[in-house]
Amino acid sequence: MKNNKIVIYVGLLAVGLLLGWLLFGGSSNESAEHNHTETKETNQMWTCSMHPQIMQPEPGDCPICGMDLIPAESGSDGLLADQFKLTENAMALANIQTTIVGKGNVDGNTFKLSGKIAENEEANAVQVSYFSGRIERLNVSFTGEEVRKGQLLATIYSPELYAAQQELIIASSLKESQPALYKAVRNKLKLWKLSESQINQIEETGKVKENFPVYATVSGTVTEKLVEQGDYIKQGQPLLKIANLNTVWANFDVYENQIDLFKKGQEVLVTTNAYANKEFKGKVDFIEPILNTRTRTVTLRVVLNNKNDVFKPGMFVTANIERVSNNNDEVLTIPASAVLWTGERSVVYLKTNPDQTIFEMREVVLGNQIGNEYEVLEGLFVGNEIVTKGTFTVDAAAQLQGKKSMMNKEGGKVMTGHEGHTMDMMTEKVDFNSTVEKSFQPIIDAYINLKDALIQSDISLASSKSEAFRKALEEMPVSQREQTHNYWAILHKTSKGINENVTLEHQRKQFQTISDKLIEMVKNFDKVNDKLYVQFCPMADNNNGAYWLSKEEQVLNPYFGDAMLKCGEVKQTIE
């Protein structure tokens, strides 16, 4: 009996446990699952497939295009696909600083445009021959020669003009009986630009001239000789191009988003490196009505007085122009130091969380540069926090972690070191050891010498300094070359290329490649012997922009030399 009671109690206990699990276990799991889902949803961010800069904590519509937002991808570290994190220590070492994006009223401020001097086409003339023949004598010796209106330019032997003179002598004896014929012959000679006095002289003397003079119809400078002495020419054929350089045009490229900021008659202050401390006043004379679809620019023309022969066609000039606006709306502006250029894109680095050192590359569309700031047309909003100092260091971290960066639009791992070996991605920078950094100091010095040679536009000196740069690379121990293989190999090969085609254009293109690679290395060094300045010229490389390193803060441009010596600005300081 007692054993039966024990069996019954055990059975009741088992039934109770089963009922308890059925009643409370399921709900507990459901609650846990619910909480897990809730947590997941709380951390989920939503973005737009067409506008990835849009990030919202909940689903909805894109504020730009109205499309439904989609879940943003995130990595195992809890960051979104394009985000990366820097340590607080790395932030402090690189002295990275950020700024909150805001709006400011820029009306009344001035900004700069770069351009070139050109001949005033309205004052140009083409000297032509009004009859066919052979040039017996050309009195213009060289391009650039000054001529005056009425000056003898050439003498021409013309068989048809010779025959027409004979017709005049015969017609003059018949002018009483055949006045119409006489008048027709005289008009024929007038069409060939013979003067009344020349025609009368032929008629009075009864002598035929073999060679006829051609006189200048305008005063100016000969910009092109189109014929040589002894050439046979046709009626109406151009002989010379003559430009009046008392006034010249300064042509500036204006991007399509800037067009509404200019108007005809607007005052302009123009400067040139030839007269660095002098400003020349002019006015906007013409704004091209047709957009260049390749460069997305229009030409803005300023007419400049040139009676003192200050401006030469082809000379680089800079214009300081007051901003013109139809309203007083505030515009979004960011410091120029925040922007990195790739030639096709402008990018900044956004700090996505005010409480964490998480960053993300953001492409932006810029408007005018006003002082040390740029207008932002697309890509940022008021309240965004962006990097304004140490931008290169943040970009290096993005590259090393395989995130989107200045030169890597799609993101992906960065290969360095031995061929086929992927370095561990680091949060601060590439860890070049102190021995490598010390070995690179003479290479940096040789690079600076090469840069100085290009500033002087000296082809021979640049070739010599390129050879010295390459020798400095070859003096590195083999073991250190292997540690920096991808960098070393590109620097060595490119420096050889500077001597393969000794033209300044080729040398400067190769120098640009060397500069990009060396900057990429040096900005990750713990220490450099001398303070280095990363400088940038937006007009180099066919207006795509190019960087270089300098030991002086003053900008001296190796991509243009004296032609545009001071074009550029300091983008970062490396200490």
Side-chain angles (χ1 to χ4, degrees), residues 217-498:
T217 56
V218 295
S219 298
T221 303
V222 176
T223 58
E224 190 174 355
K225 285 175 62 180
L226 303 172
V227 293
E228 296 293 339
Q229 187 167 298
D231 286 352
Y232 282 87
I233 57 174
K234 297 179 180 179
Q235 183 178 358
Q237 182 176 336
L239 306 176
L240 304 166
K241 288 185 179 181
I242 300 174
N244 187 333
L245 298 179
N246 287 335
T247 60
V248 293
W249 287 349
N251 292 326
F252 301 94
D253 287 333
V254 175
Y255 289 98
E256 58 182 315
N257 55 31
Q258 300 173 324
I259 295 173
D260 65 332
L261 303 177
F262 302 94
K263 64 179 182 180
K264 191 174 180 180
Q266 193 173 354
E267 289 191 357
V268 180
L269 291 177
V270 175
T271 58
T272 174
N273 287 333
Y275 302 90
N277 299 320
K278 193 171 182 181
E279 292 184 328
F280 303 88
K281 291 184 178 180
K283 290 187 177 181
V284 176
D285 178 68
F286 175 76
I287 299 175
E288 194 174 22
I290 300 174
L291 185 76
N292 185 322
T293 55
R294 185 179 64 84
T295 62
R296 310 307 300 176
T297 61
V298 298
T299 299
L300 179 145
R301 178 193 304 159
V302 176
V303 178
L304 297 171
N305 187 309
N306 195 39
K307 289 184 178 179
N308 295 327
D309 199 30
V310 171
F311 299 105
K312 315 292 183 185
M315 182 182 287
F316 289 107
V317 288
T318 300
N320 293 310
I321 306 179
E322 287 279 343
R323 172 190 169 91
V324 171
S325 180
N326 295 326
N327 53 59
N328 292 319
D329 290 343
E330 292 184 333
V331 296
L332 204 65
T333 59
I334 59 174
S337 61
V339 183
L340 297 176
W341 287 272
T342 69
E344 298 178 352
R345 301 179 295 133
S346 301
V347 303
V348 299
Y349 278 93
L350 182 69
K351 187 180 180 188
T352 58
N353 189 321
D355 302 320
Q356 298 183 51
T357 54
I358 298 173
F359 297 90
E360 175 185 324
M361 191 205 78
R362 180 70 55 83
E363 289 191 34
V364 293
V365 178
L366 301 178
N368 308 298
Q369 182 176 7
I370 305 170
N372 292 321
E373 294 193 333
Y374 280 100
E375 291 180 90
V376 179
L377 305 180
E378 294 180 20
L380 292 175
F381 301 97
V382 174
N384 286 155
E385 188 173 357
I386 59 171
V387 177
T388 53
K389 187 173 182 180
T391 318
F392 271 99
T393 302
V394 176
D395 182 72
Q399 292 183 46
L400 293 170
Q401 295 187 52
K403 305 295 183 179
K404 289 183 179 180
S405 60
M406 177 175 67
M407 301 307 293
N408 191 357
K409 185 177 182 180
E410 303 301 327
K413 297 282 187 179
V414 178
M415 297 294 293
T416 59
H418 297 291
E419 188 70 25
H421 174 66
T422 305
M423 270 184 87
D424 292 331
M425 296 300 121
M426 302 179 61
T427 56
E428 300 97 311
K429 59 180 185 175
V430 182
D431 188 14
F432 292 116
N433 63 48
S434 59
T435 306
V436 169
E437 292 179 7
K438 186 176 180 180
S439 296
F440 255 88
Q441 299 303 327
I443 295 168
I444 294 171
D445 293 338
Y447 166 88
I448 295 296
N449 292 335
L450 172 59
K451 181 261 300 181
D452 292 341
L454 291 173
I455 290 172
Q456 298 175 45
S457 300
D458 190 323
I459 295 175
S460 177
L461 184 60
S463 294
S464 172
K465 297 304 180 184
S466 172
E467 181 71 19
F469 177 81
R470 185 165 68 256
K471 286 182 178 179
L473 284 165
E474 292 171 349
E475 288 174 2
M476 283 187 67
V478 175
S479 61
Q480 293 179 27
R481 295 186 202 176
E482 291 179 352
Q483 292 179 50
T484 59
H485 175 72
N486 278 5
Y487 293 102
W488 189 93
I490 292 174
L491 291 171
H492 188 264
K493 180 179 179 180
T494 308
S495 62
K496 289 180 68 175
I498 290 182

Side-chain angles (χ1 to χ4, degrees), residues 101-307:
V101 176
K103 287 189 175 183
N105 192 310
V106 296
D107 284 336
N109 289 321
T110 62
F111 54 92
K112 292 183 179 181
L113 294 176
S114 297
K116 284 185 180 180
I117 295 296
E119 299 166 9
N120 184 343
E121 294 179 10
E122 293 178 348
N124 287 355
V126 177
Q127 188 74 48
V128 302
S129 173
Y130 296 101
F131 42 83
S132 59
R134 182 182 67 246
I135 300 176
E136 294 293 301
R137 181 174 179 79
L138 186 62
N139 293 339
V140 175
S141 304
F142 55 89
T143 300
E145 187 173 342
E146 297 286 335
V147 298
R148 301 180 309 278
K149 184 177 181 179
Q151 178 178 329
L152 178 64
L153 298 179
T155 53
I156 298 175
Y157 168 71
S158 173
E160 59 184 5
L161 188 56
Y162 188 91
Q165 292 178 80
Q166 291 178 322
E167 289 178 8
L168 174 63
I169 293 171
I170 295 172
S172 64
S173 63
L174 302 173
K175 61 182 177 182
E176 297 295 335
S177 59
Q178 299 187 37
L181 174 63
Y182 171 70
K183 186 176 180 179
V185 172
R186 285 184 68 93
N187 287 338
K188 181 180 180 180
L189 292 172
K190 287 179 181 179
L191 290 175
W192 285 335
K193 296 300 179 180
L194 269 67
S195 65
E196 286 282 352
S197 61
Q198 287 177 311
I199 296 172
N200 291 336
Q201 186 181 12
I202 296 168
E203 186 177 342
E204 290 168 3
T205 61
K207 293 181 179 180
V208 176
K209 286 187 175 183
E210 291 186 356
N211 299 324
F212 263 83
V214 176
Y215 297 103
T217 56
V218 295
S219 298
T221 303
V222 176
T223 58
E224 190 174 355
K225 285 175 62 180
L226 303 172
V227 293
E228 296 293 339
Q229 187 167 298
D231 286 352
Y232 282 87
I233 57 174
K234 297 179 180 179
Q235 183 178 358
Q237 182 176 336
L239 306 176
L240 304 166
K241 288 185 179 181
I242 300 174
N244 187 333
L245 298 179
N246 287 335
T247 60
V248 293
W249 287 349
N251 292 326
F252 301 94
D253 287 333
V254 175
Y255 289 98
E256 58 182 315
N257 55 31
Q258 300 173 324
I259 295 173
D260 65 332
L261 303 177
F262 302 94
K263 64 179 182 180
K264 191 174 180 180
Q266 193 173 354
E267 289 191 357
V268 180
L269 291 177
V270 175
T271 58
T272 174
N273 287 333
Y275 302 90
N277 299 320
K278 193 171 182 181
E279 292 184 328
F280 303 88
K281 291 184 178 180
K283 290 187 177 181
V284 176
D285 178 68
F286 175 76
I287 299 175
E288 194 174 22
I290 300 174
L291 185 76
N292 185 322
T293 55
R294 185 179 64 84
T295 62
R296 310 307 300 176
T297 61
V298 298
T299 299
L300 179 145
R301 178 193 304 159
V302 176
V303 178
L304 297 171
N305 187 309
N306 195 39
K307 289 184 178 179

Side-chain angles (χ1 to χ4, degrees), residues 8-22:
I8 292 171
Y9 290 149
V10 173
L12 290 173
L13 180 61
V15 172
L17 290 173
L18 179 61
L19 290 173
W21 181 84
L22 291 174

